[in-house]
Amino acid sequence: MNPKTTSSTNEIKKALDLYLSNWKLIIFFVLVAIISAFLFLRYTTYQYQAFATIKIKDDKQSQKLPSMSEISKGGLFSDGSNKIKDEIAVMTSRTLISNIVKNLHLNIKYYDQGKIKEQEIYNNPPLKLSFFVSDSIIHQVDTTLYIKIKSPSEFLTFKDNGNSILERDDSEGKLHTFGDRIKTGFGDMIIIPNVGEYAPNVGSNLKVSIKPVNSIVDIYKSNIKASTEEGLSIVNLALRDNIANRAIDVLNQVIREYNKDVITDKEDVIKVTSDFINNRLELVFKELEEVDFTAEQLQKKNNLTALGSQANIYLESEKQNEFQINSTANTIQMISFLQEEMQLENRTSDLLPSNIGISDGSINQITKSYNELVAQRDKMLINSTEKNPVVINLNSQINALKENLEISLANMKKTSQITLDNLNKEDARIRGQLYSAPTKQRQLRDIERQQSIKESLYLYLLEKREESAISLGMFTNNAKVIDSAYSTFLPVSPYKSFTYLAAILLGLMLPIGFIYVKDLLDTKIYDKDDLTAILNIPYIGDIPMTNKKTKLINKIDYSPKAESFRILRSNIDFVLKDLDSKTKKIFITSTRAQEGKSHTSTNLASSISFSEKSVLLIEMDIRVPKIMQYLKEKSQTKIGLSDYLADKKLTPDDVVNKLKDNPFLDVIPSGTIPPNPSELLMSDRVQELFDYFEGKYDYIVVDTSSVGLVSDTLLVSKFADIFIYVVGADNTDKRQLTAVAKPLFEDDRLPRMNLLLNGTNFGKKGYGYGYGYGLDPNKKRKWYQFS
């Protein structure tokens, strides 16, 4: 197998072992996250979504009686323009949403306050507020009322001081009876209880929130979503709310208000046209009465009664000419009427009458465009001022269209007047041929002609008024409802599955991230791989961590600790197999204190002695001696190594202590702690000591000082056959090892230097290995353990 692949696999296994070794921490975080998610879902406010679908009909389709020519023409998008976006803008306009908020009273909300959360009540609230002030004032109020029901007929009211009603005493409230007139800062009101199953419960705590309409409009304007696809007249409406029924009501009201707004715009133009026609009818009616009265007086005065018999003298050409004169005169009169209407200064509306009988298509189109701009500007002025740039732009367009209309009317009037003059000349020529007609009859004819013109104009206006009256009721809803507002009544936010999944992921990520960062910043040594990664020094074994109370191994010992020292003993023998010396001298050292150097020395010496090999354990760490403490022995001679080195009268045998329980293990304790340990270790007496015991013992185990702190060990290193460099697991910093152990090995200052990892914890970081042997054969297995 590729070494890189093997290394990568080992790294993955180590990472998995690291996280699995902390499974309790990870499970704890996951459980906390799941419980937090449960509590969040239990007490959070859910969001529900409602949907509605409508189709925007063409203006011509919105009339109840469309003509065949209108049906044969294109639909809403036949002119290539996208009007749907304009209609969507109307649906989501502040004016329309403001009407919805007012009609549904969305600015007043009722809550039932509980110990942990408050529940909003939308359908059939237990109370209803009735105000004495106008709606315009209520729509600007921003306040909160706290009410506690004391009995079916009485309740307490509390001022809004920022605290919940549950935190207040009843003595802070003011007692009222349902139906009492209550004075408030914004006006008087009456609180009326609901009845039946929706009546307020005695002891319940209620909160009534009244917000300004504008603030509620802002919320729904941003929450109502309208969308469509390019080229289609279908509009999809959606709304999120914490109450599903309210979202449904709002969307349905959006459709109703939109249809109402469109019909109102269309009917406004018809009403302006009807008013214009009625005003002209009154004027024409008076003129017609005057002409009829003049004709009547002339006939009575000249006794002209048989006028019917004289009709044959008129030529057919004169009749056709008169018809044209009447039509042209009507056109001129209607143009004059429209010009007078445009010049009035006290008009209630800037809208102009349309389709009043002027046959010119361009004038009708200009009038229609003018009315559309006026209606759009008037809508803007509801929530804006004349200084609004959009309003200024619309006014400029309106004035430009009005000027164009005035010019067109003036030009058409001049043209019609020229036509009328020519027709009159033709009529005069024809009447000149009737020179034999009596003068009085010609006078009567002139009057009858005027009478005919006025009658024709009057009948025409009556017809137009009737058409306007019929058109006023011919408009239907502009939006066809495909799907009324509906909801699944399932929460869309927060989503339970997603919340739990996110909680589990967060519960995993937090401890795993913590473990990863902690491991990333951790510079301590834990296992063999950590050592070999930074030091290219032979590795001789490791000693597992055991109970602190069990410091020494026994002769009959099945513990992993005892087994690890047997393995260490065997490894040392293997390393020293080619050694010619009769006595194998094993020196033990470490980088600093508290790494288990003395512990290793004592147990290694004991382990070798258990194999019935004679061992001398020398406590050469004369600064901080610990050997005798580990052995739980008191020095028999009261003197030790330091005393031997300082007093030349003493022999090596004088400082040797025989152990009672172990005849194969002797100990030379450190002795009296000297003021000059380094100088003593430089003495020739050290050489004499080792020479003296050469051959008398199979092994000499020497517990030396820490090389990272003092130079004592380096002074005696030349006497060693092998150096065991103890590294404390979960105790030694990698940087210390690199700075101390590496130079010692590279400079060969410690003979046959080998690394020993002490205090390994196989579950500490999730990796390491245990000892398959060393189990007590007499120990009974538990019922769940298998062979």
Side-chain angles (χ1 to χ4, degrees), residues 58 60 73-86 229-232:
D58 195 351
K60 297 181 177 65
K73 293 180 181 179
L76 183 61
F77 300 101
S78 59
D79 57 355
S81 62
N82 191 355
K83 298 181 181 178
I84 289 295
K85 293 182 179 179
D86 296 338
E229 295 183 10
E230 191 70 27
L232 297 181

Side-chain angles (χ1 to χ4, degrees), residues 13-14 16-22 761-768:
K13 288 181 178 180
K14 287 183 66 175
L16 289 176
D17 289 339
L18 172 63
Y19 297 128
L20 291 176
S21 68
N22 292 275
N761 186 351
F762 305 136
K764 177 72 175 180
K765 295 201 60 170
Y767 41 74

Side-chain angles (χ1 to χ4, degrees), residues 184-293:
T184 65
F186 53 86
D188 296 351
M189 68 176 183
I190 294 176
I191 298 180
I192 304 171
N194 208 331
V195 294
E197 60 177 316
Y198 303 111
N201 297 322
V202 176
S204 60
N205 300 308
L206 305 176
K207 184 179 83 170
V208 182
S209 175
I210 306 176
K211 295 293 182 181
V213 169
N214 287 335
S215 64
I216 305 299
V217 170
D218 292 335
I219 295 174
Y220 281 99
K221 181 173 175 59
S222 60
N223 289 344
I224 295 176
K225 306 299 181 184
S227 60
T228 184
E229 295 183 10
E230 191 70 27
L232 297 181
S233 59
I234 303 297
V235 177
N236 299 310
L237 299 174
L239 172 61
R240 281 192 178 189
D241 202 314
N242 60 313
I243 297 178
N245 287 325
R246 181 165 59 197
I248 292 173
D249 292 344
V250 170
L251 288 186
N252 285 330
Q253 192 67 23
V254 166
I255 299 172
R256 285 192 289 267
E257 289 292 332
Y258 168 72
N259 284 326
K260 180 181 176 182
D261 181 74
V262 172
I263 291 176
T264 300
D265 287 346
K266 295 175 181 178
E267 291 181 347
D268 283 345
V269 177
I270 299 299
K271 289 179 181 178
V272 171
T273 303
S274 298
D275 293 340
F276 170 79
I277 292 174
N278 288 331
N279 293 334
R280 296 309 162 188
L281 272 174
E282 293 179 4
L283 180 61
V284 173
F285 180 74
K286 291 179 181 179
E287 293 176 351
L288 183 59
E289 281 185 333
E290 293 176 0
V291 173
D292 289 342
F293 181 76

Side-chain angles (χ1 to χ4, degrees), residues 20-53:
L20 291 176
S21 68
N22 292 275
W23 65 270
K24 293 181 180 179
L25 177 66
I26 295 174
I27 289 179
F28 172 76
F29 271 88
V30 171
L31 289 177
V32 170
I34 292 175
I35 293 172
S36 300
F38 172 77
L39 294 176
F40 170 75
L41 293 172
R42 173 67 177 82
Y43 297 108
T44 191
T45 300
Y46 287 92
Q47 291 288 315
Y48 302 87
Q49 192 156 13
F51 305 91
T53 306

Side-chain angles (χ1 to χ4, degrees), residues 195-472:
V195 294
E197 60 177 316
Y198 303 111
N201 297 322
V202 176
S204 60
N205 300 308
L206 305 176
K207 184 179 83 170
V208 182
S209 175
I210 306 176
K211 295 293 182 181
V213 169
N214 287 335
S215 64
I216 305 299
V217 170
D218 292 335
I219 295 174
Y220 281 99
K221 181 173 175 59
S222 60
N223 289 344
I224 295 176
K225 306 299 181 184
S227 60
T228 184
E229 295 183 10
E230 191 70 27
L232 297 181
S233 59
I234 303 297
V235 177
N236 299 310
L237 299 174
L239 172 61
R240 281 192 178 189
D241 202 314
N242 60 313
I243 297 178
N245 287 325
R246 181 165 59 197
I248 292 173
D249 292 344
V250 170
L251 288 186
N252 285 330
Q253 192 67 23
V254 166
I255 299 172
R256 285 192 289 267
E257 289 292 332
Y258 168 72
N259 284 326
K260 180 181 176 182
D261 181 74
V262 172
I263 291 176
T264 300
D265 287 346
K266 295 175 181 178
E267 291 181 347
D268 283 345
V269 177
I270 299 299
K271 289 179 181 178
V272 171
T273 303
S274 298
D275 293 340
F276 170 79
I277 292 174
N278 288 331
N279 293 334
R280 296 309 162 188
L281 272 174
E282 293 179 4
L283 180 61
V284 173
F285 180 74
K286 291 179 181 179
E287 293 176 351
L288 183 59
E289 281 185 333
E290 293 176 0
V291 173
D292 289 342
F293 181 76
T294 302
E296 180 182 356
Q297 294 298 322
L298 182 61
Q299 289 184 26
K300 289 181 179 179
K301 183 178 179 180
N302 297 295
N303 295 321
L304 299 174
T305 57
L307 298 178
S309 61
Q310 300 177 9
N312 294 328
I313 67 174
Y314 295 104
L315 301 175
E316 186 65 27
S317 59
E318 185 180 18
K319 292 181 180 180
Q320 295 178 357
N321 194 62
E322 287 181 358
F323 176 77
Q324 294 180 6
I325 290 174
N326 292 339
S327 177
T328 305
N330 288 344
T331 300
I332 294 173
Q333 190 68 42
M334 296 306 296
I335 292 174
S336 299
F337 289 163
L338 187 55
Q339 287 176 328
E340 293 174 7
E341 182 72 16
M342 293 174 64
Q343 294 173 359
L344 289 177
E345 297 181 355
N346 57 348
R347 297 175 64 230
T348 59
S349 174
D350 289 339
L351 295 173
L352 294 177
S354 62
N355 297 326
I356 59 175
I358 300 176
S359 59
D360 190 279
S362 62
I363 291 178
N364 290 331
Q365 183 59 41
I366 293 174
T367 303
K368 181 179 179 182
S369 300
Y370 173 86
N371 286 334
E372 289 177 352
L373 289 176
V374 169
Q376 187 176 354
R377 182 202 62 188
D378 291 345
K379 284 185 179 180
M380 291 289 298
L381 287 175
I382 294 176
N383 296 311
S384 183
T385 63
E386 293 284 353
K387 295 181 180 181
N388 190 314
V390 179
V391 175
I392 293 174
N393 185 33
L394 289 174
N395 283 332
S396 300
Q397 297 181 44
I398 290 171
N399 292 333
L401 285 177
K402 189 173 182 180
E403 291 177 2
N404 292 337
L405 183 60
E406 288 176 348
I407 294 172
S408 299
L409 289 174
N411 292 335
M412 185 176 182
K413 187 175 182 181
K414 289 180 182 180
T415 303
S416 300
Q417 188 62 48
I418 293 172
T419 302
L420 181 61
D421 292 342
N422 292 333
L423 291 173
N424 286 331
K425 289 180 182 179
E426 180 65 18
D427 184 66
R429 185 186 65 78
I430 295 173
R431 285 188 291 110
Q433 295 178 0
L434 303 176
Y435 62 93
S436 58
T439 302
K440 295 179 180 180
Q441 288 185 349
R442 287 201 304 274
Q443 293 176 351
L444 179 61
R445 177 58 188 155
D446 291 337
I447 293 174
E448 288 178 342
R449 184 180 296 109
Q450 295 179 19
Q451 188 179 28
S452 176
I453 292 173
K454 298 300 180 184
E455 286 179 353
S456 176
L457 178 58
Y458 184 75
L459 293 174
Y460 177 78
L461 290 174
L462 286 175
E463 180 183 354
K464 286 297 179 183
R465 184 177 69 176
E466 190 63 25
E467 288 180 0
S468 297
I470 294 173
S471 299
L472 192 61

Side-chain angles (χ1 to χ4, degrees), residues 148 150 156-158 168-175:
K148 184 173 184 178
K150 297 296 293 182
L156 291 172
T157 58
F158 297 84
R168 307 191 204 180
D169 190 75
D170 289 356
S171 59
E172 300 180 35
K174 187 174 182 181
L175 187 63

